[in-house]
Amino acid sequence: ALNTGTSSGAPTTDQRGVTRSLGGTFDIGAVEAYITVTPTSIPTGTAGVAYPGQTFNASGGSGDYTFALNGTLPAGMSFSPVGADISGTPTEGGSFPITVTATDNTNGFVGATSYTLIINVLVLDHFAINNITSPKTAGTAFNITITAKDASNVTVPSFNGTVNLSTTAGTITPTTSGTFTNGVLTQSVTVTQSGTGKTITVDDGSSHTGTSNTFTVNPGALHHFAIGNITSPQLMAFRWTLAGGMQSINLGGRAPNVSGVSDDGKMVLG
């Protein structure tokens, strides 16, 4: 490095800590090189969401560098020494201290910058059901889309569970949804009761719920008849007349039901 100062005013060492030979036209044996790793800060990420990615660069040396990362990245993320970048989809939240170093492959000089990678976690607050158009038909399947949301109505991609389904349109099939993917589920459902102002409600069993807009359900085409439950035992209905005097009738212990007397004196039992 060129010594433009004097023996009393110039530094006594170079940036590596090597003693400078002062007083001559040049500092004999002193080599100045300062490797800078950029950027100075990195983006914040969100658990369950693909990280926007960050590439690191170095300057101040020969231009031929080897990059390395010290520290622990969140699960789901990785560092590529070849691309000098971090990427992936974090599956956990928190603060992760890391240091990225760049080594000059020509002279061995090293530069480093430290960062704190912050991964936020979205907390489930409620569910949103996409608009259900009208009319629907009782007994005919249709799709609904359900999304897990935080308090700010942002999708919570870390929710990969199931929800319970209920409706004001009779009964709904199924009563338990399929599994969400990245906080979203499109589910086929069937309801049984026609009418206006019907809704569908979902809940995860942990006080997180969501209710759809109101919609109309039309009756389905006639398919069959349903007969209500018939209790047992039932008495057999019968009729006969008594005429011409007293008769002895065995009714199996049951009292006869007299339904009337005809004009000619015949008693009608039924």
Side-chain angles (χ1 to χ4, degrees):
L2 182 65
N3 177 14
T4 58
T6 65
S7 60
S8 61
T12 59
T13 60
D14 66 13
Q15 292 177 2
R16 295 179 300 158
V18 176
T19 301
R20 298 166 62 101
S21 177
L22 303 175
T25 304
F26 294 91
D27 294 342
I28 299 173
V31 180
E32 298 289 347
Y34 188 78
I35 309 299
T36 302
V37 176
T38 56
T40 57
S41 62
I42 56 178
T44 295
T46 301
V49 178
Y51 187 71
Q54 179 61 64
T55 299
F56 300 93
N57 299 288
S59 61
S62 68
D64 181 18
Y65 307 102
T66 297
F67 290 87
L69 182 143
N70 296 316
T72 301
L73 291 171
M77 294 190 64
S78 61
F79 173 76
S80 169
V82 176
D85 63 355
I86 55 175
S87 61
T89 300
T91 58
E92 61 179 329
S95 297
F96 301 86
I98 60 173
T99 298
V100 176
T101 61
T103 301
D104 191 317
N105 294 325
T106 300
N107 51 45
F109 297 151
V110 178
T113 300
S114 295
Y115 309 91
T116 298
L117 174 59
I118 298 175
I119 303 297
N120 295 323
V121 176
L122 299 179
V123 178
L124 177 64
D125 179 76
H126 64 281
F127 294 96
I129 301 175
N130 284 15
N131 183 64
I132 300 176
T133 59
S134 294
K136 301 304 181 189
T137 302
T140 300
F142 59 94
N143 287 338
I144 61 173
T145 298
I146 313 165
T147 305
K149 299 285 188 177
D150 72 355
S152 298
N153 218 34
V154 177
T155 299
V156 180
S158 59
F159 182 80
N160 295 309
T162 62
V163 293
N164 303 312
L165 301 167
S166 60
T167 185
T168 59
T171 58
I172 188 169
T173 304
T175 55
T176 302
S177 76
T179 302
F180 282 62
T181 300
N182 296 325
V184 181
L185 170 69
T186 296
Q187 176 72 54
S188 175
V189 298
T190 303
V191 297
T192 60
Q193 186 182 84
S194 61
T196 60
K198 303 303 183 182
T199 60
I200 293 174
T201 297
V202 301
D203 76 88
D204 67 348
S206 298
S207 301
H208 304 121
T209 66
T211 299
S212 72
N213 60 292
T214 59
F215 59 97
T216 299
V217 181
N218 289 339
L222 177 62
H223 181 268
H224 64 280
F225 294 98
I227 301 175
N229 183 57
I230 301 175
T231 60
S232 297
Q234 295 288 328
L235 297 179
M236 182 176 67
F238 55 89
R239 290 173 61 88
W240 71 92
T241 61
L242 295 177
M246 297 294 295
Q247 298 291 330
S248 175
I249 304 173
N250 181 8
L251 297 176
R254 293 188 177 89
N257 177 24
V258 180
S259 61
V261 178
S262 65
D263 292 338
D264 58 0
K266 295 178 181 179
M267 182 173 64
V268 179
L269 301 180

